[in-house]
Amino acid sequence: MFASVLRARAAAQMNGRQPGAAVLRNTVFPSGRQAGARGMASERSHIGATTYAALAARLNLQFRDASLMEQVCTHRSYEQGRLASNERLQWLGKRVLNLHVGEFLAAKYPNLTVEMLQDLQHASFGLASLAEIGRHFGMQAALRWAPAAKEAPHVGQTKVLGKAVQALVGAVHQDQGAAAARAFVAQHVLARPVDAAVVVQLKNPKLLLAALAKQKQLERPAARLLKETGRFTSSPVFVVGVFSGARMLGMGYGSSLKMAEHRAAKDALIKHYAKEVKDFKLATLAGDEDQVSFFEQSA
């Protein structure tokens, strides 16, 4: 009898269950990992819905499609692309932004060259700057994406976040129309400070200034010493102005006349190219579509 008990216990252990444990047939219980995943998915879905609703409310946006904000914040890398991503919205929003930003910069800085305008648009309204806007919106908390390296989860977030802001502009344009997208861009993007001086090429300022004066048919620039102090000391300071006729184009200082002249030429170039037009009207803001008609007055 004792031997039979030992054999029964050994058989039970070989079958993967404890002796005396009840066997429930045709019953499947989820593992702890599966149950936890389901709970986390349900919680994530709930948090996501409230997060997207709060984000839309914060930006005073009321999309007709309630799922649009979730799509705006979903990168194609998330869930291996099985969910609707923001890729098409980002494609559209990028072009809407290029239109309004390009028009804005061209009107505000009429003296910048095309290359300078392009550089300024990239510096002031590129993905890095758009990502800053996204962080101001709080979009990073709603962003859904899969980092390329799990050990560095924040690497690449700036690019993904910047594209999400482009997608947001595309969503506004798609859901609420061109006028709403234009107003959104004007309020949240174009209102940011812009420093045009950063794109003015200043490698050879005296040569550039001479060429510019010739192009504008101005008198050849002439440098004049305006002030000086400590000429015969170890730390002299010279203030030089660059003039075209009686008009001073720029002013600079330095520990030598050459340095002061160089800086004065740079100042003249910056003042010319970065000159702002304060009062201008954008073509996309001119008039009202409903007030335009091609019918004759008698029609």
Side-chain angles (χ1 to χ4, degrees), residues 9-200:
R9 290 184 176 179
Q13 291 176 354
M14 291 178 64
N15 290 332
R17 53 187 176 85
Q18 295 295 326
V23 178
L24 300 179
R25 300 185 182 276
N26 301 324
T27 303
V28 179
F29 293 97
S31 67
R33 181 178 299 180
Q34 291 173 330
R38 291 177 185 177
M40 289 176 64
S42 175
E43 181 180 1
R44 183 171 60 236
S45 175
H46 174 71
I47 294 176
T50 57
T51 301
Y52 302 130
L55 179 60
R58 190 180 307 124
L59 298 175
N60 197 26
L61 293 174
Q62 295 180 346
F63 289 128
R64 290 189 290 268
D65 183 354
S67 66
L68 203 54
M69 185 61 82
E70 182 176 353
Q71 184 179 350
V72 163
C73 297
T74 303
H75 189 257
R76 66 179 180 177
S77 63
Y78 183 73
E79 295 289 349
Q80 299 180 347
R82 289 191 292 266
L83 301 179
S85 75
N86 61 10
E87 195 170 17
R88 291 180 64 87
L89 294 174
Q90 183 264 333
W91 181 88
L92 175 61
K94 179 179 179 180
R95 280 141 187 87
V96 173
L97 277 167
N98 284 342
L99 169 63
H100 295 302
V101 170
E103 182 186 41
F104 170 78
L105 293 178
K108 188 172 185 178
Y109 302 103
N111 292 338
L112 287 180
T113 65
V114 172
E115 292 78 10
M116 291 177 183
L117 286 171
Q118 185 70 28
D119 291 343
L120 184 59
Q121 180 171 358
H122 178 74
S124 301
F125 303 101
L127 289 180
S129 297
L130 293 178
E132 291 182 12
I133 296 175
R135 294 186 183 95
H136 178 72
F137 291 163
M139 292 183 70
Q140 69 275 16
L143 202 61
R144 303 198 300 184
W145 68 297
K150 294 183 179 179
E151 61 275 10
H154 296 292
V155 174
Q157 186 187 66
T158 295
K159 184 177 180 180
V160 172
L161 188 55
K163 288 188 174 183
V165 174
Q166 290 176 333
L168 180 59
V169 173
V172 174
H173 186 279
Q174 176 178 290
D175 188 83
Q176 301 181 12
R182 180 181 62 212
F184 184 87
V185 171
Q187 178 182 358
H188 297 290
V189 180
L190 301 183
R192 292 171 55 85
V194 177
D195 182 11
V198 299
V199 299
V200 179

Side-chain angles (χ1 to χ4, degrees), residues 205-225:
K206 291 188 288 185
L207 287 175
L208 291 174
L209 184 58
L212 179 63
K214 185 176 181 179
Q215 178 186 355
K216 298 295 183 181
Q217 297 182 345
L218 300 175
E219 292 185 26
R220 179 177 172 79
R224 301 173 190 171
L225 179 61

